Amino acid sequence: MNKDKYERPVLIRHAIGLMNKYSRMRSMQPQSHIDGVSVAELINTYGSPLVVFSERTLIDRYRELEQALSTRYPNYHIAWSYKTNYLDAICRVFHKNGAWAEVVSEFEYEKALHLNIPAEHIHFNGPLKSENVLQRALSSGTIIHIDHFDEMALAERIAKELSFRPKVGIRINMSVEGAPQWSRFGFNLENGQALDAVSRLLAGGSLQLAGIHCHIGTFIMDPGAYREQSQKLAEFANLIKEKHGIFSVLHRYRGRFRLAQQPQGSIFTR
């Protein structure tokens, strides 16, 4: 019997940086200046710890996204997500460049109004909206994304009491490869609940369906997940067109679509 030649084990040390939400950093590179301003000068002036935002970088990123959308789609709008960062100065940077507001709470809704964002330029998401804020938002033209049937019934009652027919969207959840399913938010696509919600909303006659909304999660690094999400939303919009005559997806950002209720024709943008 022949034995394999003995090889002494060798341990090799691998030096890697800290873990963050994007992956591992190979090394930490100290930054001496931010937009031409000395970090030491900032600390001497404002103290430490200190959080610094680059307005130039924020605007550059916004314009990069805007250019990518405008060169591909004729109709779109970008809405800044307040839950990402609702500091007034940060929100104003995006609003000055044309962004609408996307909010998930009454606090954020009031903040957007305080920053002089027109009510009709606010998208209101989230699973918990009080009757008072729903009444105010719906009557002022804010697009509410309906999260569940109880909220739909409440919105219908408010619309009937105030004798008007507001525009709303619905939130759906779906299975997407590479992303956890957030089944606790919105109406499920795969089991038919989302289509039932659309049918229920249109049959009620009190609300106008103006959009569909889906958020598949955070820290998703695979762009294929967003491709699959967009494809499923477009297919769902086509299904709505086939069954109910709502024909076109006009706007999309961060998984939110707005629909135009027209008898025929189709324009899809994602």
Side-chain angles (χ1 to χ4, degrees), residues 141-170:
T142 296
I143 296 181
I144 295 291
H145 293 275
I146 303 295
D147 201 87
H148 45 80
F149 284 112
D150 287 343
E151 187 170 81
M152 185 184 297
L154 178 56
E156 288 177 328
R157 178 166 64 81
I158 292 172
K160 291 177 182 178
E161 289 175 352
L162 299 180
S163 300
F164 74 110
R165 192 165 176 252
K167 294 180 179 180
V168 300
I170 65 164

Side-chain angles (χ1 to χ4, degrees), residues 67-112:
Q67 182 179 14
L69 293 173
S70 64
T71 55
R72 291 167 173 81
Y73 309 120
N75 298 295
Y76 74 95
H77 69 252
I78 299 172
W80 171 244
S81 170
Y82 272 41
K83 71 177 181 181
T84 304
N85 189 320
Y86 50 64
L87 292 177
D88 285 1
I90 300 297
C91 294
R92 285 193 178 100
V93 169
F94 292 109
H95 294 323
K96 282 193 303 183
N97 284 273
W100 292 15
E102 186 265 337
V103 303
V104 297
S105 67
E106 186 170 356
F107 164 75
E108 293 181 4
Y109 183 64
E110 294 293 343
K111 177 175 281 288

